[in-house]
Amino acid sequence: MKPLDIPRNAKLHPADMTLQWETTLAKTILKYAHEQGYRGKAQLPTWRFKAAKKIVRPAFAPGDLATIIKGMTAWIREVPIDDAKALHARNGA
Protein backbone atom coordinates (compact mmCIF):
# COMPACT_ATOMS: atom_id res chain seq x y z
CA MET A 1 0.00 0.00 0.00
CA LYS A 2 1.25 3.49 -0.87
CA PRO A 3 1.41 6.03 1.99
CA LEU A 4 -1.75 7.82 0.79
CA ASP A 5 -3.74 4.67 0.05
CA ILE A 6 -6.34 4.54 2.79
CA PRO A 7 -9.39 2.29 3.18
CA ARG A 8 -12.67 3.41 1.57
CA ASN A 9 -14.30 4.16 4.90
CA ALA A 10 -11.37 6.17 6.31
CA LYS A 11 -10.68 9.87 6.03
CA LEU A 12 -7.27 11.40 5.55
CA HIS A 13 -7.85 13.67 8.55
CA PRO A 14 -9.72 11.99 11.43
CA ALA A 15 -12.53 13.75 13.24
CA ASP A 16 -11.80 15.51 16.52
CA MET A 17 -13.89 13.03 18.49
CA THR A 18 -11.92 10.14 16.99
CA LEU A 19 -8.69 11.75 18.16
CA GLN A 20 -10.18 12.36 21.60
CA TRP A 21 -11.29 8.71 21.93
CA GLU A 22 -7.90 7.41 20.78
CA THR A 23 -6.10 9.74 23.19
CA THR A 24 -8.29 8.52 26.05
CA LEU A 25 -7.54 4.90 25.12
CA ALA A 26 -3.80 5.56 24.96
CA LYS A 27 -3.82 7.26 28.37
CA THR A 28 -5.83 4.38 29.86
CA ILE A 29 -3.29 1.86 28.56
CA LEU A 30 -0.43 3.98 29.92
CA LYS A 31 -2.16 4.20 33.31
CA TYR A 32 -2.56 0.42 33.41
CA ALA A 33 1.11 -0.07 32.48
CA HIS A 34 2.08 2.43 35.21
CA GLU A 35 0.00 0.59 37.83
CA GLN A 36 1.63 -2.72 36.84
CA GLY A 37 5.09 -1.17 37.15
CA TYR A 38 6.00 -1.49 33.46
CA ARG A 39 6.89 2.19 33.06
CA GLY A 40 9.34 2.60 35.92
CA LYS A 41 9.12 5.91 37.75
CA ALA A 42 8.16 8.01 34.74
CA GLN A 43 5.31 10.43 35.39
CA LEU A 44 1.98 9.81 33.70
CA PRO A 45 1.14 12.30 30.94
CA THR A 46 -1.13 15.16 32.01
CA TRP A 47 -2.02 16.45 28.54
CA ARG A 48 -5.37 15.89 26.94
CA PHE A 49 -7.00 16.45 23.59
CA LYS A 50 -10.15 18.53 23.65
CA ALA A 51 -12.36 18.32 20.59
CA ALA A 52 -12.90 21.68 18.93
CA LYS A 53 -16.51 20.96 18.12
CA LYS A 54 -18.95 18.22 18.94
CA ILE A 55 -21.04 16.79 16.15
CA VAL A 56 -24.00 15.13 17.79
CA ARG A 57 -26.67 13.23 15.93
CA PRO A 58 -29.98 15.02 16.48
CA ALA A 59 -32.55 13.30 18.65
CA PHE A 60 -35.63 11.71 17.14
CA ALA A 61 -38.78 13.76 17.09
CA PRO A 62 -41.57 12.21 19.23
CA GLY A 63 -43.52 11.20 16.11
CA ASP A 64 -40.45 9.58 14.56
CA LEU A 65 -39.75 7.64 17.73
CA ALA A 66 -43.31 6.31 17.82
CA THR A 67 -42.97 5.20 14.18
CA ILE A 68 -39.72 3.39 14.96
CA ILE A 69 -41.21 1.61 17.97
CA LYS A 70 -44.27 0.52 15.97
CA GLY A 71 -42.04 -0.75 13.16
CA MET A 72 -39.82 -2.69 15.55
CA THR A 73 -42.84 -4.25 17.24
CA ALA A 74 -44.28 -5.29 13.87
CA TRP A 75 -40.89 -6.73 12.86
CA ILE A 76 -40.79 -8.87 16.02
CA ARG A 77 -44.33 -10.14 15.39
CA GLU A 78 -43.46 -11.18 11.79
CA VAL A 79 -41.55 -14.23 13.07
CA PRO A 80 -43.40 -17.53 12.65
CA ILE A 81 -44.58 -18.95 15.98
CA ASP A 82 -42.61 -22.18 15.54
CA ASP A 83 -39.27 -20.35 14.99
CA ALA A 84 -38.24 -19.85 18.63
CA LYS A 85 -34.61 -19.08 17.75
CA ALA A 86 -35.53 -16.15 15.47
CA LEU A 87 -38.09 -14.87 17.97
CA HIS A 88 -35.47 -14.93 20.70
CA ALA A 89 -33.04 -13.01 18.47
CA ARG A 90 -35.60 -10.36 17.55
CA ASN A 91 -36.83 -9.90 21.12
CA GLY A 92 -33.31 -9.34 22.36
CA ALA A 93 -34.09 -11.42 25.41
Side-chain angles (χ1 to χ4, degrees):
M1 228 174 11
K2 296 180 209 165
L4 292 179
D5 285 345
I6 57 175
R8 277 187 306 130
N9 62 345
K11 294 181 182 176
L12 186 56
H13 303 288
D16 283 351
M17 287 306 294
T18 301
L19 294 174
Q20 185 174 2
W21 292 335
E22 290 179 354
T23 302
T24 301
L25 175 65
K27 287 179 71 174
T28 303
I29 292 170
L30 284 173
K31 183 179 177 187
Y32 174 79
H34 186 76
E35 289 170 354
Q36 299 300 314
Y38 300 140
R39 298 186 66 244
K41 298 192 188 270
Q43 182 179 355
L44 283 172
T46 56
W47 46 265
R48 67 183 211 129
F49 180 84
K50 181 144 174 59
K53 62 180 180 176
K54 284 187 176 179
I55 301 174
V56 180
R57 186 179 63 81
F60 291 114
D64 295 339
L65 192 56
T67 304
I68 291 170
I69 291 171
K70 285 178 188 174
M72 289 171 57
T73 305
W75 180 70
I76 291 170
R77 290 184 183 145
E78 286 176 0
V79 178
I81 295 172
D82 58 342
D83 194 355
K85 189 174 182 179
L87 183 60
H88 180 77
R90 289 190 182 198
N91 264 335

